[in-house]
Amino acid sequence: MLTADGADLLALVELALAEARTLGASQAEAAISMDVGLSVSARLGEVETIEYQRDRGMAVTVYFGTRKGSASTGDLGAAALRETVAKACTIAKYTAEDPCAGLPDPEDLARDVPGLDLSHPWEISPERACDMAIACEAAAMAVDSRRITNSEGAAVSTHRGLRAYGNSLGFLAAYPGTVHSLSCAVLGSSGEEMERDYWYSTARDWRALESAVSVGRASGERAVRRLGARQLGTMKVPVLFAPDVARGLVGHFVGAVRGGSQYRRASFLLDAAGQQVFPDWFSISERPHLPRALASAPFDHEGVATRDRELVSAGVLLGYVLGTYSARKLGLRTTGNAGGTHNLLVHGRGRDFAGMLALMDRGLLVTELMGQGVNGVTGDYSRGAAGFWVENGVIVHPVHEVTVAGNLRDIYRQIAEVGSDVDARGGIRTGSILVEQMTVAGA
């Protein structure tokens, strides 16, 4: 039932909507998704797991005026769909009225569904996937056969899915997508010391993945590079976040400007629209329609059209991240972000990674973060970290068992530069981020 155009799933969505109308719902929406995949893992030269996945489900929401009811099922048979709709209708009769509840305004719905080239199925056999995982790990171990002494393994996965959505306003559409990945994690040791590191590649199109040997070699080199790590004393110094961890700094910002955080009054950036949050050269754009990008989408989870927008310009927050409900709670209009953001691009000024180190001169390069020490209400930030100490713009030794701390409002205002070394392996694309000063606490 995983057809390229989703005709079968769209027919089931229409069935659910028709049943909701029959039961008296004033509005209704239904979403059906199907995913199939293969995942394999290998460790120490042996295959550990081979897993096939086949997931499917439907969620339906109905409205009786401003009363809302929702139900879901993993059974896509006609009888189960009708029963699920009936359950949602029953629930709606017992919920409180909410003037903000309901479908999007019709004019916000996507009228055209662009093709974004998101589906590239990988017809890889389990045997070939296992061979790739074994080769990936072998390449990691071969980096330094004396010091790379153990492994957490390598993994290969491929998934393809189809999402269909429709509502009683006449919107009905579906689009497919694929995600493929290759990863490896190994442990290096020297005497009593042991350090772990990893690398991965992920893409919509399997042909865009890094090779198994390249991923393995990178994980091995990263693990060896961390041997000889030292602790630091407590100090205030510049901190440079490598691109794959810098993404988290931007993620905390997105969480603070989501509509839910704003209307619940639970954000360190409360009512910050129109305010200077970052330096005046800093900007963040949303680009939902980038071909083959991991967070691209032709419409959001409510069928609302996704559009290019500037979220931050000249350091000023231009608006929030809103779905229909949160927008109504705030007296605003949806931004097409029900379900999340779509490809956030953080813009720097063209300085490469070597240039970022030179700009920092002396401080801490963070390559790994641990723990959950971020308070979304106050902005207090304190996380375990590992990385490298930098002197005169040159990495001099690895660092572990330290904490980097500050307040996110201050951290954002003290961003000195964003590098051109952009990591595109996610929904937030950013280069390394240099913060002028943070507290680094060690032994």
Side-chain angles (χ1 to χ4, degrees):
M1 196 180 283
L2 195 57
T3 56
D5 61 1
D8 294 335
L9 298 192
L10 290 172
L12 294 177
V13 169
E14 289 186 301
L15 174 62
L17 296 176
E19 185 67 13
R21 285 193 297 270
T22 299
L23 295 177
S26 55
Q27 290 186 327
E29 60 183 341
I32 298 179
S33 62
M34 293 192 69
D35 297 276
V36 296
L38 168 70
S39 299
V40 306
S41 66
R43 180 175 178 270
L44 299 179
E46 300 289 340
V47 175
E48 278 207 322
T49 62
I50 301 176
E51 297 180 355
Y52 287 96
Q53 298 91 33
R54 185 175 182 87
D55 300 317
R56 60 183 185 178
M58 182 194 79
V60 59
T61 297
V62 298
Y63 299 93
F64 285 74
T66 59
R67 297 178 185 271
K68 172 184 174 182
S70 298
S72 61
T73 180
D75 185 346
L76 298 186
L81 262 63
R82 290 189 176 95
E83 182 181 356
T84 302
V85 174
K87 293 292 185 183
C89 291
T90 300
I91 291 169
K93 295 174 183 177
Y94 293 95
T95 58
E97 293 189 1
D98 185 340
C100 295
L103 297 177
D105 295 332
E107 58 268 26
D108 290 327
L109 294 173
R111 291 179 173 81
D112 298 307
V113 178
L116 303 179
D117 198 20
L118 303 182
S119 183
H120 295 270
W122 190 10
E123 303 300 337
I124 186 172
S125 68
E127 294 80 9
R128 175 57 182 150
C130 290
D131 289 344
M132 286 184 66
I134 291 170
C136 183
E137 184 191 49
M141 303 291 280
V143 167
D144 191 324
S145 58
R146 180 176 60 87
R147 290 188 292 176
I148 298 181
T149 56
N150 209 338
S151 169
E152 291 185 358
V156 176
S157 70
T158 173
H159 290 85
R160 61 190 178 103
L162 184 64
R163 173 178 166 80
Y165 172 84
N167 61 39
S168 56
L169 298 176
F171 182 88
L172 187 68
Y175 67 93
T178 55
V179 177
H180 318 288
S181 68
L182 178 61
S183 64
C184 185
V186 293
L187 291 85
S189 64
S190 178
E192 297 297 316
E193 180 191 8
M194 185 174 292
E195 297 288 347
R196 169 197 176 277
D197 216 322
Y198 68 97
W199 193 245
Y200 72 98
S201 178
T202 185
R204 294 279 191 181
D205 186 345
W206 58 273
R207 289 166 288 249
L209 291 173
E210 295 179 40
S211 71
V213 170
S214 176
V215 170
R217 186 182 297 121
S219 66
E221 291 171 349
R222 286 165 64 92
V224 169
R225 188 174 64 164
R226 288 179 59 168
L227 292 173
R230 311 175 196 174
Q231 290 183 315
L232 298 173
T234 298
M235 63 185 83
K236 290 188 175 182
V237 291
V239 174
L240 178 62
F241 291 84
D244 49 331
V245 291
R247 182 183 294 120
L249 286 180
V250 182
H252 299 313
F253 160 74
V254 174
V257 300
R258 288 189 190 279
S261 299
Q262 292 292 319
Y263 78 72
R264 293 186 183 99
R265 316 297 290 174
S267 169
F268 67 91
L269 292 177
L270 190 62
D271 300 327
Q275 295 180 14
Q276 188 89 31
V277 176
F278 297 95
D280 59 11
W281 54 267
F282 187 97
S283 62
I284 300 177
S285 305
E286 184 176 22
R287 297 292 183 262
H289 298 162
L290 296 178
R292 297 178 298 283
L294 290 170
S296 291
F299 53 87
D300 75 359
H301 286 189
E302 299 175 322
V304 171
T306 51
R307 296 184 175 89
D308 290 354
R309 69 182 293 215
E310 306 309 309
L311 188 58
V312 175
S313 179
V316 175
L317 173 63
L318 299 183
Y320 302 120
V321 175
L322 305 172
T324 297
Y325 183 79
S326 60
R328 288 173 180 159
K329 292 286 284 187
L330 295 168
L332 300 171
R333 193 164 185 170
T334 178
T335 56
N337 292 119
T341 55
H342 308 99
N343 300 319
L344 294 184
L345 280 56
V346 182
H347 303 287
R349 293 180 286 190
R351 196 182 298 261
D352 63 13
F353 182 67
M356 296 292 285
L357 289 175
L359 180 62
M360 179 169 67
D361 185 46
R362 176 180 183 270
L364 177 65
L365 164 63
V366 173
T367 58
E368 184 177 7
L369 289 167
M370 294 150 276
Q372 305 296 323
V374 182
N375 188 318
V377 178
T378 66
D380 290 334
Y381 181 96
S382 178
R383 298 192 67 186
F388 298 87
W389 183 250
V390 175
E391 292 276 0
N392 299 316
V394 177
I395 293 173
V396 293
H397 64 76
V399 172
H400 66 175
E401 297 178 5
V402 298
T403 300
V404 290
N407 184 277
L408 286 167
R409 266 192 171 273
D410 298 329
I411 290 170
Y412 294 153
R413 285 194 293 263
Q414 293 183 49
I415 291 177
E417 184 61 282
V418 176
S420 61
D421 49 339
V422 174
D423 184 351
R425 298 173 300 171
I428 297 173
R429 297 186 173 197
T430 180
S432 50
I433 293 179
L434 176 60
V435 180
E436 292 175 357
Q437 182 174 279
M438 294 181 68
T439 298
V440 176

